[in-house]
Amino acid sequence: GCLLFYLFAGLDQESKEKQTLLDDETMYCDKKPDIDNYFKAVTDAVNGILYKDDGQIAVSISRKVYSWNPRTEIEIQPL
């Protein structure tokens, strides 16, 4: 499965290159909070809803990027 975190950029007048990265949602965020904290909060919140127990998670891919449209996306696939 895939867990994607899109954070508000909070950037005003930036370079054309940064604008493009934000538009494409490819500007990685290396600021706090740590991605593992986001992951734990989301997997705990959907525990018992999307799966019986988060111990069932065998594969995970996480990404934390800046976006003009902040959100969290969860993709779950059976193994």
Side-chain angles (χ1 to χ4, degrees), residues 15-63:
S15 69
K16 201 69 149 155
E17 179 183 351
K18 286 186 179 181
Q19 290 286 335
T20 301
L21 292 173
L22 283 168
D23 291 342
D24 295 342
E25 296 180 332
T26 55
M27 179 187 279
Y28 289 100
C29 175
D30 61 354
K31 308 292 183 219
K32 288 189 177 263
D34 299 341
I35 196 167
D36 59 324
N37 294 334
Y38 280 118
F39 180 84
K40 182 72 172 150
V42 171
T43 55
D44 284 350
V46 297
N47 197 28
I49 300 169
L50 297 179
Y51 40 74
K52 286 185 180 180
D53 183 78
D54 60 2
Q56 294 176 280
I57 299 172
V59 177
S60 69
I61 300 168
S62 299
R63 189 172 77 144

